[in-house]
Amino acid sequence: MDENRILKGYEYAKEVYGAAGVDVDAAMKRADAIPVSMHCWQGDDVIGFDGSGSLDGGIQTTGDYPGRARTADELRSDIDFARTMIPGATKLNLHASYAEKHGKKIDRDAYTIAEFQTWVDWAKQNGIGLDFNPTYFSHPMMDGNFSLSSSDEKKRRFWIEHGKRCREIGLEFAKQLGQPCAINYWMPDGHKDTCVDTKIYRDRMTASLDEIFADKSITQQDVPCSLESKLFGIGVESYTVASHEYSLGYALTHGIYYTLDSGHFHPTEVISAKISAVLQFMDKILLHVSRGIRWDSDHVIALDDELQRIMDEIVFNGFENRVFIGLDYFDAAINRIACWAIGMRNARKALLNACLANSEAMRKAEAEGDNTSRFALLEERKSLPAGAVWDYYCLTHNVPTGIDWLESVKKYEADVLTKR
Ligand code: RNT
Ligand code: ZN
């Protein structure tokens, strides 16, 4: 985009926002500092590199666009390239299945930092933090879709060990990178059809989690651990062990955090409505920002009402230090790097737009019982020139403005992805 036009647009936007009582530069600064954790698994359809080769656990990536990253090196180059298009504080969210074994015979119950050191070195070089996830799927030790609640004691113990290893690895990430490593625990455990003994699986899940979180020398400060709830999965339609009530309840009573994934609720239910409710009782939460269409389809996040509402909730309530924002989607039907660029840019646009809103004026109107003004302000804000501020923000952060990034993605596709 033409630099002069961007500068002109920015001047105009500054005036318009100024008249609405908003300091555009302060808003940009605030939005820029809020970290968004980019999920590594968009780049390779959630397959990982520790030998699984396919995806299970009730989740599914659809599409067969060419260019899936097949090695950790390919994935890192794709992420490096994606990051040239993404402004603002970024972290990378890794799954345990992205371990690099370097020919060693080692399994998930025994992983150490060694299997992730290349990732840490890469993160160090790039000056970014790492988040982490145990991988309770796509593995021969899964008992169907059961892991931590399996009735097979050998398998259950294997997965308990995996959960413990992940906290140890997370602590190493935090130490080496000098920033907390958020770990999300998601287990697909559940039944396709009506479960009768709904209690026993939860008893076992609780016992397993208790063992995983028993080591208090690894603190929630350094390694914030969180439990992700879910309604159902493919082939796990009737009963999910770590349901919403289960996960929230466990987290609240065991000093860990709770993860809200946008795709894990009934289609008309939104996670934006849950953030301030959960934060009444918990210090921090994690988010998996996703976009489900009719089911937990994990579409790339769009700049839609719910994304804006999520970021508004965080910014308007001053929750930026209490909410770990992570993205969680995987689309293989379109260019995977574009998925990162579009989704991450959308998250940042929504954050910026939240910071650009005069929430104080809205809050004041509400407190005074003037709901007419509150509504008018909320609606007016939708057509203020946030796009002009976004372009200026991108320009000053040395990332492509407007849709300029698309051309380089096409070039990368032709030069690199189609050759895979
Ligand atoms: C699955 C959960 C989970 C996964 C990732 C890959 O429904 O949302 O967070 O998507 O761990
Ligand atoms: Zn998720």
Side-chain angles (χ1 to χ4, degrees):
M1 262 173 102
D2 175 53
E3 199 174 313
N4 263 331
R5 216 171 71 207
I6 295 172
L7 294 176
K8 263 197 237 159
Y10 166 69
E11 284 310 321
Y12 167 73
K14 216 171 153 170
E15 265 177 50
V16 175
Y17 276 106
V22 175
D23 177 343
V24 166
D25 295 312
M28 273 189 296
K29 214 170 148 203
R30 184 177 177 193
D32 185 56
I34 303 173
V36 177
S37 198
M38 183 169 119
H39 54 312
C40 75
W41 52 91
Q42 165 59 56
D44 76 324
D45 308 345
V46 210
I47 303 294
F49 307 117
D50 70 347
S52 93
S54 65
L55 179 61
D56 59 26
I59 52 177
Q60 196 166 52
T61 311
T62 52
D64 57 357
Y65 205 82
R68 185 181 85 79
R70 297 156 305 174
T71 63
D73 285 332
E74 283 182 358
L75 186 63
R76 275 186 289 269
S77 338
D78 290 355
I79 295 169
D80 286 339
F81 173 54
R83 288 198 59 235
T84 63
M85 301 177 279
I86 299 163
T90 304
K91 293 181 87 180
L92 182 79
N93 203 358
L94 266 186
H95 240 283
S97 49
Y98 292 76
E100 291 171 273
K101 302 196 215 175
H102 306 294
K104 205 159 121 195
K105 260 195 118 194
I106 189 164
D107 213 341
R108 290 185 190 169
D109 60 336
Y111 285 170
T112 66
I113 187 64
E115 284 69 51
F116 299 92
Q117 194 57 48
T118 316
W119 283 108
V120 178
D121 295 341
W122 169 89
K124 228 181 267 174
Q125 255 168 32
N126 285 278
I128 66 170
L130 290 178
D131 293 319
F132 200 42
N133 304 258
T135 310
Y136 291 109
F137 51 84
S138 309
H139 192 279
M141 282 302 269
M142 288 296 289
D143 175 14
N145 280 315
F146 290 95
S147 59
L148 290 179
S149 70
S150 169
S151 60
D152 180 329
E153 196 52 17
K154 201 168 151 230
K155 290 186 170 160
R156 191 176 74 90
R157 295 237 59 90
F158 176 91
W159 290 116
I160 292 171
E161 292 311 310
H162 179 55
K164 290 186 187 169
R165 295 301 85 74
C166 287
R167 287 181 77 213
E168 294 157 9
I169 293 162
L171 183 61
E172 271 302 311
F173 286 1
K175 276 189 190 157
Q176 293 197 39
L177 298 170
Q179 51 178 300
C181 166
I183 305 189
N184 181 57
Y185 283 76
W186 170 68
M187 287 70 60
D189 298 43
H191 277 290
K192 177 187 170 92
D193 221 326
T194 311
C195 172
V196 176
D197 198 343
T198 57
K199 178 174 177 292
I200 195 150
Y201 296 96
R202 294 189 170 128
D203 287 345
R204 282 197 293 260
M205 177 64 77
T206 301
S208 302
L209 292 173
D210 285 354
E211 284 197 47
I212 292 170
F213 298 117
D215 182 356
K216 303 289 178 211
S217 74
I218 302 174
T219 65
Q220 283 291 98
Q221 207 106 36
D222 295 330
V223 188
C225 290
S226 189
L227 194 55
E228 180 178 18
S229 66
K230 194 169 177 176
L231 179 63
F232 81 100
I234 301 172
V236 196
E237 284 87 358
S238 299
Y239 168 78
T240 297
V241 180
S243 63
H244 306 316
E245 292 76 8
Y246 177 89
S247 303
L248 179 61
Y250 185 91
L252 276 173
T253 49
H254 292 75
I256 64 165
Y257 301 137
Y258 176 50
T259 302
L260 286 165
D261 182 308
S262 335
H264 287 194
F265 294 81
H266 288 283
T268 56
E269 229 180 323
V270 286
I271 64 162
S272 56
K274 303 174 190 295
I275 296 171
S276 68
V278 177
L279 285 177
Q280 278 293 308
F281 307 104
M282 197 175 278
D283 182 33
K284 291 180 181 166
I285 56 169
L286 261 79
L287 297 187
H288 269 186
V289 187
S290 190
R291 182 166 58 107
I293 297 188
R294 304 190 193 281
W295 65 288
D296 181 27
S297 61
D298 290 287
H299 279 65
V300 181
I301 54 168
L303 188 54
D304 58 11
D305 285 351
E306 170 60 359
L307 180 65
Q308 193 56 61
R309 201 69 205 115
I310 291 170
M311 300 312 182
D312 286 357
E313 278 294 310
I314 296 170
V315 168
F316 292 6
N317 289 311
F319 287 154
E320 51 255 72
N321 294 318
R322 296 181 63 190
V323 180
F324 295 97
I325 306 170
L327 307 190
D328 180 15
Y329 54 77
F330 22 100
D331 194 336
I334 54 177
N335 183 301
R336 293 174 185 78
I337 296 169
C339 292
W340 270 322
I342 295 170
M344 286 293 286
R345 285 169 74 97
N346 278 343
R348 300 228 69 99
K349 274 183 197 173
L351 273 171
L352 177 64
N353 198 32
C355 293
L356 282 169
N358 190 346
S359 58
E360 276 317 306
M362 298 170 193
R363 204 188 298 276
K364 186 167 172 286
E366 182 172 275
E368 288 166 357
D370 183 2
N371 294 345
T372 309
S373 299
R374 177 185 66 184
F375 185 48
L377 287 165
L378 277 166
E379 287 308 293
E380 184 56 23
R381 168 254 187 147
K382 290 181 180 167
S383 53
L384 293 182
V389 181
W390 167 257
D391 282 332
Y392 178 81
Y393 168 68
C394 288
L395 181 74
T396 52
H397 285 72
N398 218 13
V399 299
T401 53
I403 201 164
D404 288 357
W405 59 268
L406 186 56
E407 208 177 307
S408 47
V409 168
K410 295 280 184 196
K411 189 171 179 316
Y412 190 86
E413 182 172 313
D415 295 349
V416 181
L417 300 181
T418 53
K419 309 230 158 87
R420 281 182 185 162

